[in-house]
Amino acid sequence: MNINRKLRFQLLVQNSFFVVLFLMLVILLGYLASQYPFAKDITQANRNILTQGSINVLKQMKEPVNITVFATKDDAASGDNFRKGMIDFVARYQREKKNINLTFINPSVEPKLAQDAGVKQDGEIVVEYQKRIEHIIPPIAEQEMTNLLVRLSRTNQQPVMYLDGHGERNLLGIKNHDLGEFGKQLEKKGFKFANPDLTIAQAVPNNGAMLVIAGPQVDVSEVEAKKIKTYLESGGNLLWLLDDDNLRGLNEVAEYLGLQVSPGIALDMASAQYGADARVAFASLYGEHAITTNFMLRTLFPEAHQVTAKGTDENGWKVSNLVEVAPNGWLTSEKLAKDAKPVFNEKKDKRGPVNIGVALERIYGKKGQRVVVMGNGNFLSNTFITNGGNLDLGVNMVNWLAGDDNLITIQPMPLKDINVTIPDTDSGRLVAWTVFHAFQYFIPLGMLIAGFYFWWKRRKA
């Protein structure tokens, strides 16, 4: 083909027209991206978008959230990109809630503002919602920020009271059977604890959000039991975790609630597919109640007992079943020895599913009164709290009892890949420097050189 001046001009016009169309396409795509944002996270821990739990929390927060970051300006040359990281982090929340305001203040330039806000270190973050303020220190992940927002949203500031002194599962305990890890999660979500001594106090304090009775191992005294019953008669809320049908001196309380607990436990033959013993009953069926609304996580309950309650015109309780376990199992008619082999007795045992939790509520005066009774306390123990949705279910129960129905949601999970550990050796630092700067400089430079090489090779050909 002969290339003359006319052909060259046509090629120039054609190429120029292509470049103009290409640039217009890029501008159009940029405009559409700004007007119709779409984000999809492909990381292992979904670290670039919010989990559904955080989204649900933000939906309940109608008022603006003001986030103020007290940090010096970034020094990109030395690898300081803290402000940029905070902008990217908060953007995940801003995509779901438009009235989240992010402000940066340099404490070195405006020390008076930092002093007035009570800021003690560079990088400290102050979050304000409905005139409530909390501080948080980096590094932070979604779980920490969302828990902070939950605390700021909480309307009930009354403490969670728990019965102690009878071998109960302790909300602050560290033993396997204790509820210490559950207690830590409640503290992170804004709950405070109180431990009234009912042998000394004239009555159960009426300034608490609820009373927790978690599986006493010895009998509660008659004096204490009467005070607990009086507390219920006065409209108090109660979370009662039962480990067996031995009510440990609280028979009058159970009678007042119309409560019955089975001597036998639920056996779930489907547990074998999860590598568990038949005494560990799994649940994926939940009753129609605020605690279990949209709750679809699997929970597990070791040696759970059936619980039923009866509402009457006299006591005024409205009763709702919460959790059904062992649809393919049964309820034993009596206690089962630890080494006994599970065998269904057609005459005595009862086919599943087995209900192991009830929620009771009624109107007391101008406010509502709420009670939750579970035929198993082990599901919230330090041993089992991290299994499936056990933590979520427990937090939902406490939120409902505290009257914070809007905060009943699936909890945000911690990130799996938030931290990168670099060995503190010369070779470790060299590898880290090479990896980090390879993406920043070496790979782009290599692609540029390769592109130039292929262009030159084709031009010579």
Side-chain angles (χ1 to χ4, degrees):
M1 179 188 298
N2 294 324
I3 300 178
N4 52 33
R5 181 178 295 181
K6 182 179 179 179
L7 182 58
R8 284 176 178 166
F9 178 75
Q10 289 176 343
L11 290 174
L12 177 62
V13 172
Q14 191 179 50
N15 292 338
S16 301
F17 187 64
F18 172 78
V19 171
V20 171
L21 288 178
F22 180 75
L23 291 176
M24 291 178 63
L25 178 62
V26 170
I27 294 172
L28 179 61
L29 290 175
Y31 173 77
L32 293 175
S34 65
Q35 296 299 312
Y36 306 98
F38 173 77
K40 183 174 179 61
D41 196 346
I42 59 174
T43 61
Q44 177 191 13
N46 294 327
R47 60 183 302 161
N48 295 314
I49 60 174
L50 295 181
T51 61
Q52 190 59 45
S54 297
I55 294 173
N56 291 342
V57 170
L58 292 177
K59 286 180 179 178
Q60 310 301 329
M61 303 178 72
K62 305 303 181 184
E63 302 300 319
V65 176
N66 298 312
I67 301 176
T68 305
V69 181
F70 289 84
T72 54
K73 290 186 177 181
D74 291 348
D75 184 3
S78 61
D80 181 10
N81 295 306
F82 176 74
R83 286 195 176 197
K84 183 181 181 302
M86 279 304 304
I87 291 173
D88 295 339
F89 177 75
V90 174
R92 295 156 58 188
Y93 287 83
Q94 290 174 323
R95 282 194 289 267
E96 303 297 335
K97 179 176 172 62
K98 302 302 180 184
N99 55 352
I100 293 181
N101 307 310
L102 177 63
T103 306
F104 288 94
I105 293 178
N106 190 335
S108 301
V109 178
E110 300 181 88
K112 184 67 167 59
L113 291 178
Q115 184 179 0
D116 293 343
V119 172
K120 298 180 180 178
Q121 68 180 68
D122 187 24
E124 192 167 337
I125 301 162
V126 179
V127 185
E128 183 267 333
Y129 178 70
Q130 290 185 328
K131 297 183 179 180
R132 296 178 186 170
I133 294 176
E134 277 214 27
H135 293 230
I136 187 168
I137 306 297
I140 56 174
E142 178 185 344
Q143 189 181 40
E144 286 77 24
M145 178 59 78
T146 300
N147 281 335
L148 183 149
L149 295 176
V150 168
R151 292 194 295 271
L152 292 176
S153 303
R154 190 168 300 285
T155 57
N156 193 331
Q157 301 296 313
Q158 297 174 314
V160 173
M161 305 177 294
Y162 61 94
L163 189 65
D164 198 11
H166 315 88
E168 291 90 347
R169 299 176 183 271
N170 197 316
L171 273 169
L172 304 176
I174 60 174
K175 296 180 181 178
N176 289 341
H177 69 275
D178 283 331
L179 311 181
E181 289 301 319
F182 180 57
K184 288 180 182 178
Q185 292 299 321
L186 294 181
E187 285 184 312
K188 289 180 180 179
K189 298 180 189 310
F191 287 104
K192 308 297 181 184
F193 297 127
N195 178 215
D197 187 347
L198 298 187
T199 60
I200 300 174
Q202 293 185 348
V204 178
N206 58 9
N207 62 344
M210 71 198 73
L211 175 66
V212 178
I213 303 176
Q217 297 302 302
V218 298
D219 286 357
V220 177
S221 68
E222 184 177 349
V223 173
E224 293 173 287
K226 286 184 177 180
K227 291 176 182 178
I228 294 172
K229 183 181 177 183
T230 302
Y231 167 75
L232 283 175
E233 292 173 334
S234 302
N237 299 329
L238 173 68
L239 173 60
W240 194 358
L241 305 177
L242 292 159
D243 286 323
D244 51 39
D245 64 329
N246 188 336
L247 301 176
R248 303 295 180 184
L250 296 174
N251 300 68
E252 283 191 33
V253 176
E255 184 179 344
Y256 183 71
L257 298 173
L259 193 68
Q260 289 188 335
V261 185
S262 69
I265 63 172
L267 295 179
D268 190 351
M269 302 314 293
S271 299
Q273 63 182 309
Y274 302 110
D277 187 87
R279 291 172 175 79
V280 179
F282 287 80
S284 56
L285 297 174
Y286 304 95
E288 295 183 5
H289 192 270
I291 291 174
T292 52
T293 299
N294 298 324
F295 192 89
M296 295 177 288
L297 300 178
R298 190 183 76 239
T299 48
L300 59 90
F301 304 86
E303 299 188 351
H305 294 257
Q306 183 183 53
V307 173
T308 58
K310 185 177 181 181
T312 64
D313 294 335
E314 182 181 351
N315 61 34
W317 293 114
K318 175 187 174 184
V319 181
S320 301
N321 290 340
L322 286 181
V323 184
E324 289 187 345
V325 301
N328 300 316
W330 65 87
L331 177 69
T332 61
S333 59
E334 55 190 18
K335 293 183 179 180
L336 194 67
K338 290 186 177 180
D339 56 348
K341 183 180 179 180
V343 178
F344 179 71
N345 188 323
E346 192 73 42
K347 296 181 179 179
K348 296 182 178 180
D349 297 338
K350 174 187 173 184
R351 291 280 184 190
V354 180
N355 183 72
I356 62 167
V358 292
L360 301 88
E361 57 183 318
R362 66 179 179 180
I363 301 298
Y364 181 86
K366 294 183 179 180
K367 67 173 186 175
Q369 181 182 9
R370 299 175 171 183
V371 174
V372 171
V373 182
M374 293 295 295
N376 184 254
N378 218 4
F379 84 104
L380 292 179
S381 68
N382 294 338
T383 303
F384 295 98
I385 187 65
T386 57
N387 286 271
N390 286 18
L391 170 62
D392 301 88
L393 183 62
V395 172
N396 283 2
M397 290 176 181
V398 175
N399 276 328
W400 182 73
L401 289 168
D404 285 320
D405 298 42
N406 290 340
L407 299 180
I408 294 176
T409 181
I410 304 302
Q411 307 304 317
M413 300 305 292
L415 296 178
K416 298 177 182 178
D417 58 351
I418 185 171
N419 295 319
V420 176
T421 303
I422 301 173
D424 191 19
T425 60
D426 291 339
S427 59
R429 285 189 288 270
L430 177 62
V431 171
W433 184 91
T434 304
V435 171
F436 293 151
H437 289 285
F439 289 96
Q440 189 174 10
Y441 301 115
F442 302 149
I443 293 178
L445 183 61
M447 293 179 67
L448 180 64
I449 294 173
F452 181 80
Y453 169 76
F454 286 117
W455 170 80
W456 180 260
K457 188 176 181 181
R458 288 179 180 179
R459 188 174 183 275
K460 294 290 288 183

